[in-house]
Amino acid sequence: PDQQWSLRRLGGGVAVGAGGSMKLEGTTGSDEGNSGPPDVHVSGGDSSLALVDVVIDGNSSDGDGGGLFSGGDLTAQQLVVSNNTCSGNGGGIYHEGDLDLAEVALLDNTAEGGGAMFMTGGTTGTIERSLIRGNYAVGGGGLSARALVVVELLDTTVAENEAFDVGGGLYTNGLFQLGSCTVVDNLSGSDASFGGGGLNT
């Protein structure tokens, strides 16, 4: 029963908990209206997840990680995470650990915190040659990063994301480093001067 409760709460499409290890290639994790157990749940291993040419679309979670819950290090190439929702953090992805993403599209996801992705618990994060667009959250419409030392964005576009409160595009209590990025047309609903439509730190 405890495991079933956890699966309903974490990762509407894919869930890999702490201690889990998995690699997915050429897979679609999609289930219209999926709010039950994720398509894949793995435990035991070296706390890592590798995704190559994967689509995670149209899933939901009652807790964190509408599309994907990752409890360890995450690497991904040619990943699309779109149209996922959750009532907690990480509409597209909830991630704990280090992060290395390339050629990723995070599109039209919704959450309480981190519409596209909520990141916590790692020391480094790199996102390059990627698109983060059309996501929504109360805080951190695009990305929300907590307790990470640094998140580096390279050749990445953050556009048309919205936060009800602060950080329409990007929100962190750590540090974002941006190189050759476009941050445009993001919206923060906060009336405070520090609301940060594009970036709130």
Side-chain angles (χ1 to χ4, degrees):
D2 291 341
Q3 184 183 33
Q4 291 175 358
W5 178 85
S6 175
L7 294 179
R8 287 197 301 271
R9 294 277 297 168
L10 305 174
V14 178
V16 179
S21 178
M22 179 171 63
K23 181 175 183 179
L24 290 177
E25 295 190 44
T27 302
T28 299
S30 176
D31 188 348
E32 294 182 9
N34 178 15
S35 59
D39 298 326
V40 181
H41 178 81
V42 179
S43 60
D46 60 0
S47 297
S48 66
L49 173 62
L51 304 173
V52 180
D53 190 22
V54 171
V55 175
I56 300 173
D57 179 80
N59 303 282
S60 66
S61 168
D62 292 336
D64 296 326
L68 166 66
F69 179 92
S70 171
D73 295 342
L74 173 63
T75 60
Q77 291 183 326
Q78 299 175 340
L79 170 68
V80 176
V81 181
S82 56
N83 303 303
N84 301 284
T85 64
C86 73
S87 58
N89 295 314
I93 300 172
Y94 181 96
H95 175 65
E96 300 174 353
D98 292 340
L99 180 75
D100 189 359
L101 305 183
E103 300 173 3
V104 167
L106 306 175
L107 311 172
D108 303 313
N109 302 285
T110 302
E112 174 79 12
M117 185 188 313
F118 184 93
M119 298 171 282
T120 185
T123 58
T124 61
T126 301
I127 301 171
E128 56 184 322
R129 303 187 308 280
S130 295
L131 174 63
I132 302 164
R133 186 185 69 202
N135 302 282
Y136 177 83
V138 173
L143 303 180
S144 181
R146 310 282 177 88
L148 282 163
V149 174
V150 60
V151 179
E152 185 176 30
L153 278 72
L154 303 171
D155 298 315
T156 291
T157 296
V158 181
E160 301 174 16
N161 302 285
E162 182 178 353
F164 178 81
D165 189 13
V166 296
L170 306 169
Y171 174 82
T172 184
N173 62 1
L175 177 66
F176 277 115
Q177 292 183 342
L178 279 64
S180 301
C181 291
T182 300
V183 180
V184 62
D185 294 334
N186 300 284
L187 178 65
S188 167
S190 175
D191 292 331
S193 60
F194 53 82
L199 171 64
N200 179 286
T201 59

